[in-house]
Amino acid sequence: MWYNCTCCWYFNISEAGTADVYYGDDEKSLMAGVGQYSGSNVFGCGGTILLGAHDTTYFAGLENVQIGDVFEVQTNYGHYTYRVNSTKVV
């Protein structure tokens, strides 16, 4: 499901900048911002959250992210802080 230019979540990593996060991993979502892969866990509910974006746009700064860096997500139901514990380029 794509939310027609309405940001579902706000994503901030100081090294990577900020981006809107949309639920969905289709091309339309990824053209608008960061997409949360269908079937991955929701922010604030525990488990693995899978995010995707084009590496030349919304994720361009992620090449500088280090283990231990902190990122924040603002949703309409809460504010969450996460710490990077691993990275993988696929």
Side-chain angles (χ1 to χ4, degrees), residues 25-81:
D25 51 10
D26 59 7
E27 187 62 26
K28 190 173 183 180
S29 297
L30 295 176
M31 291 300 292
V34 174
Q36 180 181 355
Y37 284 91
S38 303
S40 71
N41 290 304
V42 177
F43 294 107
C45 294
T48 301
I49 300 165
L50 302 173
L51 303 175
H54 294 290
D55 64 346
T56 58
T57 56
Y58 300 103
F59 275 3
L62 283 180
E63 65 187 24
N64 301 320
V65 171
Q66 301 292 315
I67 292 175
D69 286 351
V70 172
F71 70 94
E72 299 174 319
V73 177
Q74 179 68 47
T75 71
N76 59 356
Y77 56 86
H79 182 92
Y80 303 94
T81 302

